Amino acid sequence: MPFLSRISTFSFNKDTFFSSGGFTFVKNLLLFINFLSLLAGVILIGGGAYIQIHAGSDDLIDLSSGIAASAIGIGVLITLVSFFGIFGAANEKGMLLKTYFGMLLLLVIFEIGLGIAAYVKSDAVEDLLEQAWINSVVSGNTQRQSNILRVEQAFQCCGFRNVSSYAVPNNCTATYHFNVPCVDSVKDALQGSLATIGGTGLALGFIELIGLGFSLLLFVKIAQKDRASESLMNEAWRINRSKIQYGYANYQYV
């Protein structure tokens, strides 16, 4: 059949692909990927700023300021890297794409290292929660003790490791009839939130890896196009010079 014969004789030619519409496709796809990264960076900056503004005495685990600073810092990096990617791809600037590739590679390595560190420290979540719980109870701060009480009411538990361990109030079990400690419920809730953050980071990292591949591909094709253009200009200059040398002073190369 004619259709099947066409399929059997089909072969992919990368030069034809990039000279026809593939170059534009890769360029636009890289622009779209970097637009998504830029949007994610802006969201991280905004979210970090929101957490920082609202962090204070109601910070149960004493981590809001650190999380806010990390979110803002990573958001700024992602936004800066995405800007280089967008500007470099839109204007087909090889140097900017090279800078973008290097910065994005460093960002991916940083995120992988951060993820590994978070995984290694995941066993310390319970100890961190316990210390934050104790600090809130013994601080004498009414607002922070009210936060502990809200947590106990939300999870229907009293104390941390046992029902009488740093409970608010001290007679929490008699008052609310909660007979289980809060350690497991609070830890599971925090680890669930961390899993969501980790999944978001994994998705963002996957997008960044795609951006790495396409930026390298686009940089190579731009470099080839620049070399071809330079070679063509040199050839035009050589022909024009030879014409002038042979007396064709009015010759104009188009």
Side-chain angles (χ1 to χ4, degrees), residues 37 47 150 240:
S37 297
R150 284 200 296 270
N240 190 40

Side-chain angles (χ1 to χ4, degrees), residues 155-211:
F155 293 107
Q156 297 184 354
C157 58
C158 285
F160 191 75
R161 292 197 179 275
N162 57 69
V163 293
S164 60
S165 170
Y166 299 99
V168 177
N170 292 328
N171 59 345
C172 174
T173 303
T175 303
Y176 299 106
H177 306 289
F178 300 150
N179 299 313
V180 293
C182 297
V183 54
D184 292 331
S185 299
V186 175
K187 184 176 69 173
D188 291 344
L190 179 61
Q191 288 179 338
S193 300
L194 292 176
T196 301
I197 296 173
T200 304
L202 184 64
L204 186 59
F206 180 72
I207 293 175
E208 290 171 348
L209 286 176
I210 296 177

Side-chain angles (χ1 to χ4, degrees), residues 35-51:
F35 173 76
L36 293 180
S37 297
L38 182 66
L39 186 62
V42 172
I43 291 174
L44 280 174
I45 294 173
Y50 178 84
I51 294 174

Side-chain angles (χ1 to χ4, degrees), residues 82-162:
S82 301
F83 171 77
F84 274 100
I86 292 174
F87 193 79
N91 295 278
E92 299 181 10
K93 299 294 185 181
M95 183 57 65
L96 286 178
L97 284 175
K98 186 185 294 185
T99 304
Y100 164 75
F101 179 85
M103 295 177 65
L104 188 58
L105 182 61
L106 291 176
L107 183 61
V108 169
I109 293 174
F110 170 75
E111 290 176 348
I112 292 175
L114 196 63
I116 293 174
Y119 177 78
V120 171
K121 295 292 184 180
S122 60
D123 294 337
V125 168
E126 186 173 323
D127 295 335
L128 180 64
L129 283 172
E130 182 178 20
Q131 189 59 49
W133 186 287
I134 294 173
N135 291 340
S136 296
V137 173
V138 303
S139 65
N141 187 302
T142 305
Q143 181 62 51
R144 300 184 72 176
Q145 291 178 349
S146 298
N147 293 335
I148 295 292
L149 180 58
R150 284 200 296 270
V151 172
E152 290 175 331
Q153 292 174 340
F155 293 107
Q156 297 184 354
C157 58
C158 285
F160 191 75
R161 292 197 179 275
N162 57 69

